[in-house]
Amino acid sequence: MLAIGFLTMAATYGNDNILQATCVSGEGCTFRLLDVTGEEMDVVLGTDNVYSSIGGDDLLVHAKVGEEWKTYIERDLTRSKLDRLYGGDGYTMIYLFDPQVQPKDGAWKGGTGTPVASPCVADIGSYLGRIQGLHKTGTIRFPKPFRPEFLLNNPYMRWVTVTPNRFRGIMDFGGGLSSPMKVVYNATIVNDELIEGAFEITVSVPEQSPCHVSVPVSFSCIVEADGTAENPLDENQEDDLLPVRSKGNPGDELLPVKPKGHGDDLLPVKPKSNPDELLPVKPKKN
Amino acid sequence: MKTNVTIRRWFAAALICGCVAASCVGDENKAAVPASFDGTALLAAANELEQLFSVGNIAELVGIPAERISRHVEDYDNNPSRKKLVYHWESPGSISFTTLSGEEVSLPKHHSVGIANLEAMDQETFNQRYGTSAGIKAAIDALVDDESVDADVAIAQATYLAEMAKNLSLEPLEGVGEAAVWELPTQVLHVYADSVSFTVTTNFGDDLEENKKKAIAFARMVFNNQ
């Protein structure tokens, strides 16, 4: 009876989030229910009614072609038939993550490159310390399974998976075209030992051209773990690489970090006691 | 006179060949459990199933050169009973689609055969799980009860399983292991022997009989190679 009620709920609530298939010819497909809607994906990716058009029975497919991923919408085949088309056995299940792309366990070195800024009147430099503080640097260990939220875990950052190895996150302070500041983080898992990306910061100044700053970032695996490495998501908040904890007001995020002393302006804001600090943004629950 | 002898010899030879062929056809639908089969040892090898088969074994089963066969291990959640070992190869035909950016793409199709769901089980549980739709109902109930599963994921998975249950067809097979069930439309063979169950997955195209025949042959290989 409970199951019947549960399945009735499915008809009502199960169609908002996109079902993504990651397919490799010969290996079949794995499936993941995205925690964003098509409308949200269109906003983050800057597309016009592309992802919004994906219906409840459709599948967003990432197919591996050589070393690249190609994306299309499958409107006819079921999960099982799609899996069999790619050589799978037709038995499919939904994973909470995309198991096809996973950086190696181990110690990684993260760093930022030289920012490139367009000439503008805004004191954009004051924001850079803040941004670099949000971003992980030093020796880090990625969670397994990999989630882009770990690159920059902020409640206002909306992450979407562009392809299984490319992620795009947006923090929009104000929303829409009139937003005073927008941070876009594009990250690509180049291979299981290298992640590259860039922060793109846009600050809008009234009656002036918007200011753009690009900060390249990279992570490289320096020591591969022996398989016994702990999941960094299980660590406590003593980890000094914790991301900044939001104070609840998006406007506050614009404030630059006040360095505690010389040479430590790359340190993030000291987190308050919050065991969930490293957890990714939770998908909405119905 | 000599002609008659020759005809009789040809007739006898043909009769023998026919009997051999008939006996082969009979064997095609069987996978007897040899006395040497040890279910416990098979379970112990769950983490290295790929050691059980050589690519040559698969090439012989499939009837194509070994160099065209690739191996894929699906072990995403570190659960031996959910581990899948799949052998695949390019097959005729292609997969075509148009990407979101308007690019026309064509990929080679693949066929595959593999093994999954290896776990310890008594025969009653096997019959209940694979011989009836109770297995799917139990999976749905487990999803409903498991509060650690994200609600959206649970709903999507339960809906999928319920849809599968609607079209489910289960055929018990005699002479394959100690018990076996051929499941459609997924075209997988569930096999039980010596307190162990496993599932042979097939994708040789749309020919159901071909898939079933190859699945039984694969089960035979599991019994004989272990």
Side-chain angles (χ1 to χ4, degrees), chain A residues 10 25-26 33 70-72 79-80 84 87-89 91-92 99 284 286, chain B residues 84 88 97 99-100 103 108 110 112 152 155 157 159-160 183 186 202-203:
Chain A
S25 204
L33 195 65
K70 305 288 184 184
T71 304
Y72 67 101
R79 276 164 59 182
S80 292
R84 287 186 75 82
D89 53 31
Y91 254 179
T92 70
K284 66 176 183 183
N286 294 311
Chain B
K84 286 183 188 178
H88 61 91
F97 56 84
T99 67
L100 292 180
E103 184 185 356
H110 279 71
S112 66
D152 286 332
I155 289 170
Q157 189 67 12
T159 308
Y160 168 72
E183 181 185 317
T186 40
T202 64
N203 184 348

PDB file of all heavy atoms in Angstrom, chain A residues 10 25-26 33 70-72 79-80 84 87-89 91-92 99 284 286, chain B residues 84 88 97 99-100 103 108 110 112 152 155 157 159-160 183 186 202-203:
ATOM      1  N   ALA A  10       5.152   9.563  -7.536  1.00  0.00           N
ATOM      2  CA  ALA A  10       6.090   9.678  -8.648  1.00  0.00           C
ATOM      3  C   ALA A  10       5.489  10.442  -9.807  1.00  0.00           C
ATOM      4  O   ALA A  10       6.142  11.263 -10.443  1.00  0.00           O
ATOM      5  CB  ALA A  10       6.520   8.292  -9.107  1.00  0.00           C
ATOM      6  N   SER A  25      30.003   3.524 -25.596  1.00  0.00           N
ATOM      7  CA  SER A  25      29.699   2.428 -26.497  1.00  0.00           C
ATOM      8  C   SER A  25      30.436   1.164 -26.056  1.00  0.00           C
ATOM      9  O   SER A  25      31.660   1.166 -25.921  1.00  0.00           O
ATOM     10  CB  SER A  25      30.096   2.820 -27.930  1.00  0.00           C
ATOM     11  OG  SER A  25      29.347   2.079 -28.845  1.00  0.00           O
ATOM     12  N   GLY A  26      29.697   0.124 -25.805  1.00  0.00           N
ATOM     13  CA  GLY A  26      30.277  -1.133 -25.338  1.00  0.00           C
ATOM     14  C   GLY A  26      30.088  -1.333 -23.852  1.00  0.00           C
ATOM     15  O   GLY A  26      30.077  -2.453 -23.363  1.00  0.00           O
ATOM     16  N   LEU A  33      20.097  11.152 -11.477  1.00  0.00           N
ATOM     17  CA  LEU A  33      19.037  12.155 -11.422  1.00  0.00           C
ATOM     18  C   LEU A  33      19.668  13.470 -10.995  1.00  0.00           C
ATOM     19  O   LEU A  33      20.205  13.573  -9.886  1.00  0.00           O
ATOM     20  CB  LEU A  33      17.963  11.723 -10.423  1.00  0.00           C
ATOM     21  CG  LEU A  33      16.641  12.464 -10.508  1.00  0.00           C
ATOM     22  CD1 LEU A  33      15.935  12.194 -11.827  1.00  0.00           C
ATOM     23  CD2 LEU A  33      15.736  12.071  -9.347  1.00  0.00           C
ATOM     24  N   LYS A  70      29.707  14.014 -26.133  1.00  0.00           N
ATOM     25  CA  LYS A  70      28.695  14.676 -26.959  1.00  0.00           C
ATOM     26  C   LYS A  70      27.346  14.565 -26.236  1.00  0.00           C
ATOM     27  O   LYS A  70      27.020  13.494 -25.700  1.00  0.00           O
ATOM     28  CB  LYS A  70      28.581  14.013 -28.336  1.00  0.00           C
ATOM     29  CG  LYS A  70      29.908  13.929 -29.109  1.00  0.00           C
ATOM     30  CD  LYS A  70      30.337  15.286 -29.618  1.00  0.00           C
ATOM     31  CE  LYS A  70      31.601  15.189 -30.457  1.00  0.00           C
ATOM     32  NZ  LYS A  70      32.092  16.510 -30.876  1.00  0.00           N
ATOM     33  N   THR A  71      26.613  15.651 -26.282  1.00  0.00           N
ATOM     34  CA  THR A  71      25.363  15.699 -25.515  1.00  0.00           C
ATOM     35  C   THR A  71      24.152  15.805 -26.432  1.00  0.00           C
ATOM     36  O   THR A  71      24.158  16.598 -27.378  1.00  0.00           O
ATOM     37  CB  THR A  71      25.397  16.906 -24.556  1.00  0.00           C
ATOM     38  OG1 THR A  71      26.551  16.797 -23.732  1.00  0.00           O
ATOM     39  CG2 THR A  71      24.158  16.926 -23.664  1.00  0.00           C
ATOM     40  N   TYR A  72      23.139  14.999 -26.148  1.00  0.00           N
ATOM     41  CA  TYR A  72      21.901  15.094 -26.904  1.00  0.00           C
ATOM     42  C   TYR A  72      20.721  14.672 -26.026  1.00  0.00           C
ATOM     43  O   TYR A  72      20.919  14.167 -24.918  1.00  0.00           O
ATOM     44  CB  TYR A  72      21.955  14.238 -28.174  1.00  0.00           C
ATOM     45  CG  TYR A  72      22.000  12.737 -27.984  1.00  0.00           C
ATOM     46  CD1 TYR A  72      20.856  11.951 -28.140  1.00  0.00           C
ATOM     47  CD2 TYR A  72      23.193  12.093 -27.674  1.00  0.00           C
ATOM     48  CE1 TYR A  72      20.891  10.570 -27.995  1.00  0.00           C
ATOM     49  CE2 TYR A  72      23.242  10.719 -27.522  1.00  0.00           C
ATOM     50  CZ  TYR A  72      22.097   9.958 -27.683  1.00  0.00           C
ATOM     51  OH  TYR A  72      22.150   8.597 -27.524  1.00  0.00           O
ATOM     52  N   ARG A  79      15.184   3.829 -20.546  1.00  0.00           N
ATOM     53  CA  ARG A  79      16.518   3.627 -19.956  1.00  0.00           C
ATOM     54  C   ARG A  79      17.122   2.305 -20.398  1.00  0.00           C
ATOM     55  O   ARG A  79      18.287   2.233 -20.806  1.00  0.00           O
ATOM     56  CB  ARG A  79      16.400   3.609 -18.424  1.00  0.00           C
ATOM     57  CG  ARG A  79      16.401   4.966 -17.804  1.00  0.00           C
ATOM     58  CD  ARG A  79      15.902   4.915 -16.386  1.00  0.00           C
ATOM     59  NE  ARG A  79      16.682   4.049 -15.519  1.00  0.00           N
ATOM     60  CZ  ARG A  79      16.390   3.835 -14.231  1.00  0.00           C
ATOM     61  NH1 ARG A  79      15.363   4.424 -13.687  1.00  0.00           N
ATOM     62  NH2 ARG A  79      17.142   3.052 -13.506  1.00  0.00           N
ATOM     63  N   SER A  80      16.322   1.238 -20.315  1.00  0.00           N
ATOM     64  CA  SER A  80      16.842  -0.094 -20.658  1.00  0.00           C
ATOM     65  C   SER A  80      17.248  -0.173 -22.129  1.00  0.00           C
ATOM     66  O   SER A  80      18.299  -0.715 -22.469  1.00  0.00           O
ATOM     67  CB  SER A  80      15.789  -1.165 -20.376  1.00  0.00           C
ATOM     68  OG  SER A  80      15.574  -1.282 -19.007  1.00  0.00           O
ATOM     69  N   ARG A  84      20.957  -0.849 -23.725  1.00  0.00           N
ATOM     70  CA  ARG A  84      21.247  -1.948 -24.661  1.00  0.00           C
ATOM     71  C   ARG A  84      21.805  -1.423 -25.975  1.00  0.00           C
ATOM     72  O   ARG A  84      22.662  -2.058 -26.588  1.00  0.00           O
ATOM     73  CB  ARG A  84      19.991  -2.788 -24.915  1.00  0.00           C
ATOM     74  CG  ARG A  84      19.604  -3.657 -23.738  1.00  0.00           C
ATOM     75  CD  ARG A  84      18.449  -4.584 -24.073  1.00  0.00           C
ATOM     76  NE  ARG A  84      18.860  -5.709 -24.904  1.00  0.00           N
ATOM     77  CZ  ARG A  84      19.422  -6.824 -24.438  1.00  0.00           C
ATOM     78  NH1 ARG A  84      19.627  -6.975 -23.156  1.00  0.00           N
ATOM     79  NH2 ARG A  84      19.765  -7.794 -25.248  1.00  0.00           N
ATOM     80  N   GLY A  87      25.327  -1.220 -25.846  1.00  0.00           N
ATOM     81  CA  GLY A  87      26.022  -2.475 -25.556  1.00  0.00           C
ATOM     82  C   GLY A  87      25.840  -2.957 -24.136  1.00  0.00           C
ATOM     83  O   GLY A  87      26.411  -3.967 -23.748  1.00  0.00           O
ATOM     84  N   GLY A  88      25.073  -2.246 -23.328  1.00  0.00           N
ATOM     85  CA  GLY A  88      24.836  -2.674 -21.949  1.00  0.00           C
ATOM     86  C   GLY A  88      23.842  -3.805 -21.877  1.00  0.00           C
ATOM     87  O   GLY A  88      23.347  -4.284 -22.906  1.00  0.00           O
ATOM     88  N   ASP A  89      23.528  -4.228 -20.661  1.00  0.00           N
ATOM     89  CA  ASP A  89      22.669  -5.395 -20.500  1.00  0.00           C
ATOM     90  C   ASP A  89      21.202  -5.034 -20.306  1.00  0.00           C
ATOM     91  O   ASP A  89      20.352  -5.903 -20.189  1.00  0.00           O
ATOM     92  CB  ASP A  89      23.158  -6.236 -19.309  1.00  0.00           C
ATOM     93  CG  ASP A  89      23.295  -5.418 -18.045  1.00  0.00           C
ATOM     94  OD1 ASP A  89      22.527  -4.449 -17.881  1.00  0.00           O
ATOM     95  OD2 ASP A  89      24.163  -5.739 -17.224  1.00  0.00           O
ATOM     96  N   TYR A  91      19.896  -3.745 -17.730  1.00  0.00           N
ATOM     97  CA  TYR A  91      19.623  -3.585 -16.300  1.00  0.00           C
ATOM     98  C   TYR A  91      20.211  -2.255 -15.880  1.00  0.00           C
ATOM     99  O   TYR A  91      21.427  -2.062 -15.952  1.00  0.00           O
ATOM    100  CB  TYR A  91      20.336  -4.689 -15.514  1.00  0.00           C
ATOM    101  CG  TYR A  91      19.438  -5.767 -14.974  1.00  0.00           C
ATOM    102  CD1 TYR A  91      19.974  -6.830 -14.265  1.00  0.00           C
ATOM    103  CD2 TYR A  91      18.078  -5.727 -15.150  1.00  0.00           C
ATOM    104  CE1 TYR A  91      19.171  -7.839 -13.766  1.00  0.00           C
ATOM    105  CE2 TYR A  91      17.272  -6.719 -14.656  1.00  0.00           C
ATOM    106  CZ  TYR A  91      17.822  -7.768 -13.972  1.00  0.00           C
ATOM    107  OH  TYR A  91      17.020  -8.753 -13.478  1.00  0.00           O
ATOM    108  N   THR A  92      19.411  -1.321 -15.461  1.00  0.00           N
ATOM    109  CA  THR A  92      19.982  -0.018 -15.125  1.00  0.00           C
ATOM    110  C   THR A  92      19.578   0.400 -13.723  1.00  0.00           C
ATOM    111  O   THR A  92      18.548  -0.017 -13.204  1.00  0.00           O
ATOM    112  CB  THR A  92      19.496   1.078 -16.097  1.00  0.00           C
ATOM    113  OG1 THR A  92      18.104   1.324 -15.857  1.00  0.00           O
ATOM    114  CG2 THR A  92      19.686   0.664 -17.533  1.00  0.00           C
ATOM    115  N   PRO A  99      29.381   7.875 -12.049  1.00  0.00           N
ATOM    116  CA  PRO A  99      30.528   7.024 -11.749  1.00  0.00           C
ATOM    117  C   PRO A  99      31.562   6.937 -12.869  1.00  0.00           C
ATOM    118  O   PRO A  99      32.618   6.359 -12.688  1.00  0.00           O
ATOM    119  CB  PRO A  99      29.888   5.661 -11.508  1.00  0.00           C
ATOM    120  CG  PRO A  99      28.628   5.690 -12.287  1.00  0.00           C
ATOM    121  CD  PRO A  99      28.175   7.114 -12.350  1.00  0.00           C
ATOM    122  N   LYS A 284      16.870  19.204  -3.570  1.00  0.00           N
ATOM    123  CA  LYS A 284      15.600  19.382  -2.908  1.00  0.00           C
ATOM    124  C   LYS A 284      14.886  18.050  -2.764  1.00  0.00           C
ATOM    125  O   LYS A 284      15.051  17.159  -3.579  1.00  0.00           O
ATOM    126  CB  LYS A 284      14.736  20.372  -3.682  1.00  0.00           C
ATOM    127  CG  LYS A 284      14.317  19.859  -5.034  1.00  0.00           C
ATOM    128  CD  LYS A 284      13.403  20.831  -5.706  1.00  0.00           C
ATOM    129  CE  LYS A 284      12.939  20.262  -7.019  1.00  0.00           C
ATOM    130  NZ  LYS A 284      12.113  21.167  -7.757  1.00  0.00           N
ATOM    131  N   ASN A 286      11.206  16.022  -2.096  1.00  0.00           N
ATOM    132  CA  ASN A 286       9.773  16.188  -2.179  1.00  0.00           C
ATOM    133  C   ASN A 286       9.093  15.434  -1.052  1.00  0.00           C
ATOM    134  O   ASN A 286       9.506  14.389  -0.674  1.00  0.00           O
ATOM    135  CB  ASN A 286       9.257  15.677  -3.524  1.00  0.00           C
ATOM    136  CG  ASN A 286       9.762  16.528  -4.648  1.00  0.00           C
ATOM    137  OD1 ASN A 286       9.674  17.750  -4.604  1.00  0.00           O
ATOM    138  ND2 ASN A 286      10.365  15.895  -5.637  1.00  0.00           N
TER     139      ASN A 286
ATOM    140  N   LYS B  84      29.654  -5.951 -11.958  1.00  0.00           N
ATOM    141  CA  LYS B  84      29.345  -6.549 -13.256  1.00  0.00           C
ATOM    142  C   LYS B  84      30.638  -6.725 -14.040  1.00  0.00           C
ATOM    143  O   LYS B  84      31.476  -5.823 -14.055  1.00  0.00           O
ATOM    144  CB  LYS B  84      28.460  -5.626 -14.094  1.00  0.00           C
ATOM    145  CG  LYS B  84      27.024  -5.523 -13.684  1.00  0.00           C
ATOM    146  CD  LYS B  84      26.303  -4.610 -14.681  1.00  0.00           C
ATOM    147  CE  LYS B  84      24.906  -4.292 -14.240  1.00  0.00           C
ATOM    148  NZ  LYS B  84      24.234  -3.368 -15.174  1.00  0.00           N
ATOM    149  N   HIS B  88      32.632  -7.018 -24.390  1.00  0.00           N
ATOM    150  CA  HIS B  88      31.878  -6.403 -25.493  1.00  0.00           C
ATOM    151  C   HIS B  88      32.725  -6.289 -26.749  1.00  0.00           C
ATOM    152  O   HIS B  88      33.960  -6.323 -26.681  1.00  0.00           O
ATOM    153  CB  HIS B  88      31.336  -5.031 -25.059  1.00  0.00           C
ATOM    154  CG  HIS B  88      32.387  -4.033 -24.683  1.00  0.00           C
ATOM    155  ND1 HIS B  88      32.945  -3.158 -25.581  1.00  0.00           N
ATOM    156  CD2 HIS B  88      32.978  -3.769 -23.485  1.00  0.00           C
ATOM    157  CE1 HIS B  88      33.820  -2.395 -24.962  1.00  0.00           C
ATOM    158  NE2 HIS B  88      33.871  -2.744 -23.699  1.00  0.00           N
ATOM    159  N   PHE B  97      22.982  10.244 -33.680  1.00  0.00           N
ATOM    160  CA  PHE B  97      22.195  11.266 -32.981  1.00  0.00           C
ATOM    161  C   PHE B  97      22.694  12.654 -33.381  1.00  0.00           C
ATOM    162  O   PHE B  97      23.779  12.796 -33.947  1.00  0.00           O
ATOM    163  CB  PHE B  97      22.283  11.086 -31.455  1.00  0.00           C
ATOM    164  CG  PHE B  97      23.682  11.079 -30.894  1.00  0.00           C
ATOM    165  CD1 PHE B  97      24.342  12.260 -30.600  1.00  0.00           C
ATOM    166  CD2 PHE B  97      24.323   9.875 -30.639  1.00  0.00           C
ATOM    167  CE1 PHE B  97      25.624  12.246 -30.072  1.00  0.00           C
ATOM    168  CE2 PHE B  97      25.613   9.846 -30.118  1.00  0.00           C
ATOM    169  CZ  PHE B  97      26.263  11.038 -29.832  1.00  0.00           C
ATOM    170  N   THR B  99      23.626  16.277 -31.743  1.00  0.00           N
ATOM    171  CA  THR B  99      23.932  16.867 -30.438  1.00  0.00           C
ATOM    172  C   THR B  99      23.143  18.159 -30.240  1.00  0.00           C
ATOM    173  O   THR B  99      22.541  18.691 -31.186  1.00  0.00           O
ATOM    174  CB  THR B  99      25.432  17.195 -30.314  1.00  0.00           C
ATOM    175  OG1 THR B  99      25.739  18.244 -31.239  1.00  0.00           O
ATOM    176  CG2 THR B  99      26.293  15.992 -30.623  1.00  0.00           C
ATOM    177  N   LEU B 100      23.183  18.670 -29.027  1.00  0.00           N
ATOM    178  CA  LEU B 100      22.479  19.911 -28.720  1.00  0.00           C
ATOM    179  C   LEU B 100      23.021  21.067 -29.558  1.00  0.00           C
ATOM    180  O   LEU B 100      22.332  22.041 -29.804  1.00  0.00           O
ATOM    181  CB  LEU B 100      22.622  20.250 -27.235  1.00  0.00           C
ATOM    182  CG  LEU B 100      21.902  19.310 -26.268  1.00  0.00           C
ATOM    183  CD1 LEU B 100      22.123  19.757 -24.827  1.00  0.00           C
ATOM    184  CD2 LEU B 100      20.423  19.248 -26.578  1.00  0.00           C
ATOM    185  N   GLU B 103      25.444  19.009 -34.116  1.00  0.00           N
ATOM    186  CA  GLU B 103      26.423  18.143 -34.774  1.00  0.00           C
ATOM    187  C   GLU B 103      25.842  16.737 -34.974  1.00  0.00           C
ATOM    188  O   GLU B 103      25.233  16.177 -34.054  1.00  0.00           O
ATOM    189  CB  GLU B 103      27.674  18.072 -33.896  1.00  0.00           C
ATOM    190  CG  GLU B 103      28.818  17.286 -34.487  1.00  0.00           C
ATOM    191  CD  GLU B 103      29.989  17.150 -33.506  1.00  0.00           C
ATOM    192  OE1 GLU B 103      29.922  17.743 -32.412  1.00  0.00           O
ATOM    193  OE2 GLU B 103      30.938  16.445 -33.840  1.00  0.00           O
ATOM    194  N   PRO B 108      29.896   3.362 -33.413  1.00  0.00           N
ATOM    195  CA  PRO B 108      29.652   1.932 -33.661  1.00  0.00           C
ATOM    196  C   PRO B 108      28.817   1.310 -32.551  1.00  0.00           C
ATOM    197  O   PRO B 108      28.944   1.679 -31.390  1.00  0.00           O
ATOM    198  CB  PRO B 108      31.071   1.335 -33.666  1.00  0.00           C
ATOM    199  CG  PRO B 108      31.917   2.310 -32.940  1.00  0.00           C
ATOM    200  CD  PRO B 108      31.297   3.658 -33.114  1.00  0.00           C
ATOM    201  N   HIS B 110      27.643  -1.900 -30.165  1.00  0.00           N
ATOM    202  CA  HIS B 110      28.368  -2.998 -29.531  1.00  0.00           C
ATOM    203  C   HIS B 110      27.380  -4.059 -29.047  1.00  0.00           C
ATOM    204  O   HIS B 110      26.238  -3.753 -28.719  1.00  0.00           O
ATOM    205  CB  HIS B 110      29.165  -2.495 -28.317  1.00  0.00           C
ATOM    206  CG  HIS B 110      30.473  -1.870 -28.666  1.00  0.00           C
ATOM    207  ND1 HIS B 110      30.572  -0.656 -29.292  1.00  0.00           N
ATOM    208  CD2 HIS B 110      31.752  -2.295 -28.475  1.00  0.00           C
ATOM    209  CE1 HIS B 110      31.841  -0.355 -29.468  1.00  0.00           C
ATOM    210  NE2 HIS B 110      32.580  -1.333 -28.987  1.00  0.00           N
ATOM    211  N   SER B 112      27.315  -7.502 -26.209  1.00  0.00           N
ATOM    212  CA  SER B 112      28.044  -7.860 -24.980  1.00  0.00           C
ATOM    213  C   SER B 112      27.467  -9.110 -24.333  1.00  0.00           C
ATOM    214  O   SER B 112      26.339  -9.531 -24.601  1.00  0.00           O
ATOM    215  CB  SER B 112      27.995  -6.699 -23.991  1.00  0.00           C
ATOM    216  OG  SER B 112      26.664  -6.492 -23.541  1.00  0.00           O
ATOM    217  N   ASP B 152      13.832  11.865  -4.635  1.00  0.00           N
ATOM    218  CA  ASP B 152      13.656  11.928  -6.089  1.00  0.00           C
ATOM    219  C   ASP B 152      14.219  10.681  -6.772  1.00  0.00           C
ATOM    220  O   ASP B 152      13.628  10.137  -7.697  1.00  0.00           O
ATOM    221  CB  ASP B 152      14.357  13.174  -6.661  1.00  0.00           C
ATOM    222  CG  ASP B 152      13.583  14.446  -6.340  1.00  0.00           C
ATOM    223  OD1 ASP B 152      12.347  14.347  -6.186  1.00  0.00           O
ATOM    224  OD2 ASP B 152      14.200  15.509  -6.239  1.00  0.00           O
ATOM    225  N   ILE B 155      11.953   7.673  -6.075  1.00  0.00           N
ATOM    226  CA  ILE B 155      10.730   7.706  -6.887  1.00  0.00           C
ATOM    227  C   ILE B 155      11.035   7.295  -8.318  1.00  0.00           C
ATOM    228  O   ILE B 155      10.331   6.478  -8.921  1.00  0.00           O
ATOM    229  CB  ILE B 155      10.095   9.116  -6.842  1.00  0.00           C
ATOM    230  CG1 ILE B 155       9.490   9.362  -5.455  1.00  0.00           C
ATOM    231  CG2 ILE B 155       9.023   9.271  -7.919  1.00  0.00           C
ATOM    232  CD1 ILE B 155       9.055  10.786  -5.212  1.00  0.00           C
ATOM    233  N   GLN B 157      13.514   5.509  -9.440  1.00  0.00           N
ATOM    234  CA  GLN B 157      13.916   4.103  -9.533  1.00  0.00           C
ATOM    235  C   GLN B 157      12.705   3.188  -9.326  1.00  0.00           C
ATOM    236  O   GLN B 157      12.547   2.189 -10.027  1.00  0.00           O
ATOM    237  CB  GLN B 157      15.009   3.814  -8.486  1.00  0.00           C
ATOM    238  CG  GLN B 157      15.670   2.453  -8.618  1.00  0.00           C
ATOM    239  CD  GLN B 157      16.508   2.302  -9.880  1.00  0.00           C
ATOM    240  OE1 GLN B 157      16.792   3.280 -10.575  1.00  0.00           O
ATOM    241  NE2 GLN B 157      16.883   1.075 -10.198  1.00  0.00           N
ATOM    242  N   THR B 159       9.590   3.876  -9.951  1.00  0.00           N
ATOM    243  CA  THR B 159       8.735   3.966 -11.141  1.00  0.00           C
ATOM    244  C   THR B 159       9.273   3.069 -12.250  1.00  0.00           C
ATOM    245  O   THR B 159       8.521   2.360 -12.930  1.00  0.00           O
ATOM    246  CB  THR B 159       8.683   5.430 -11.649  1.00  0.00           C
ATOM    247  OG1 THR B 159       8.320   6.270 -10.562  1.00  0.00           O
ATOM    248  CG2 THR B 159       7.683   5.601 -12.766  1.00  0.00           C
ATOM    249  N   TYR B 160      10.581   3.102 -12.397  1.00  0.00           N
ATOM    250  CA  TYR B 160      11.247   2.279 -13.418  1.00  0.00           C
ATOM    251  C   TYR B 160      11.014   0.786 -13.135  1.00  0.00           C
ATOM    252  O   TYR B 160      10.663   0.008 -14.035  1.00  0.00           O
ATOM    253  CB  TYR B 160      12.736   2.618 -13.418  1.00  0.00           C
ATOM    254  CG  TYR B 160      13.622   1.687 -14.183  1.00  0.00           C
ATOM    255  CD1 TYR B 160      13.613   1.654 -15.576  1.00  0.00           C
ATOM    256  CD2 TYR B 160      14.506   0.843 -13.515  1.00  0.00           C
ATOM    257  CE1 TYR B 160      14.454   0.806 -16.277  1.00  0.00           C
ATOM    258  CE2 TYR B 160      15.347  -0.007 -14.206  1.00  0.00           C
ATOM    259  CZ  TYR B 160      15.317  -0.019 -15.585  1.00  0.00           C
ATOM    260  OH  TYR B 160      16.145  -0.863 -16.266  1.00  0.00           O
ATOM    261  N   GLU B 183      14.820 -14.364 -18.040  1.00  0.00           N
ATOM    262  CA  GLU B 183      13.964 -13.197 -17.811  1.00  0.00           C
ATOM    263  C   GLU B 183      13.894 -12.318 -19.056  1.00  0.00           C
ATOM    264  O   GLU B 183      14.908 -11.971 -19.650  1.00  0.00           O
ATOM    265  CB  GLU B 183      14.526 -12.378 -16.633  1.00  0.00           C
ATOM    266  CG  GLU B 183      13.685 -11.152 -16.316  1.00  0.00           C
ATOM    267  CD  GLU B 183      14.316 -10.276 -15.227  1.00  0.00           C
ATOM    268  OE1 GLU B 183      14.817 -10.813 -14.222  1.00  0.00           O
ATOM    269  OE2 GLU B 183      14.303  -9.044 -15.402  1.00  0.00           O
ATOM    270  N   THR B 186      14.477  -8.138 -20.394  1.00  0.00           N
ATOM    271  CA  THR B 186      15.892  -7.780 -20.236  1.00  0.00           C
ATOM    272  C   THR B 186      16.849  -8.819 -20.826  1.00  0.00           C
ATOM    273  O   THR B 186      18.023  -8.524 -21.034  1.00  0.00           O
ATOM    274  CB  THR B 186      16.229  -7.563 -18.746  1.00  0.00           C
ATOM    275  OG1 THR B 186      15.563  -8.552 -17.988  1.00  0.00           O
ATOM    276  CG2 THR B 186      15.832  -6.194 -18.289  1.00  0.00           C
ATOM    277  N   THR B 202      22.996 -10.660 -21.396  1.00  0.00           N
ATOM    278  CA  THR B 202      23.284 -10.866 -22.816  1.00  0.00           C
ATOM    279  C   THR B 202      22.820  -9.676 -23.643  1.00  0.00           C
ATOM    280  O   THR B 202      21.799  -9.066 -23.350  1.00  0.00           O
ATOM    281  CB  THR B 202      22.553 -12.104 -23.372  1.00  0.00           C
ATOM    282  OG1 THR B 202      21.143 -11.889 -23.298  1.00  0.00           O
ATOM    283  CG2 THR B 202      22.913 -13.355 -22.613  1.00  0.00           C
ATOM    284  N   ASN B 203      23.581  -9.385 -24.639  1.00  0.00           N
ATOM    285  CA  ASN B 203      23.169  -8.393 -25.633  1.00  0.00           C
ATOM    286  C   ASN B 203      23.813  -8.786 -26.965  1.00  0.00           C
ATOM    287  O   ASN B 203      24.864  -8.288 -27.328  1.00  0.00           O
ATOM    288  CB  ASN B 203      23.593  -6.984 -25.194  1.00  0.00           C
ATOM    289  CG  ASN B 203      23.096  -5.910 -26.149  1.00  0.00           C
ATOM    290  OD1 ASN B 203      22.629  -6.218 -27.246  1.00  0.00           O
ATOM    291  ND2 ASN B 203      23.220  -4.662 -25.751  1.00  0.00           N
TER     292      ASN B 203
END
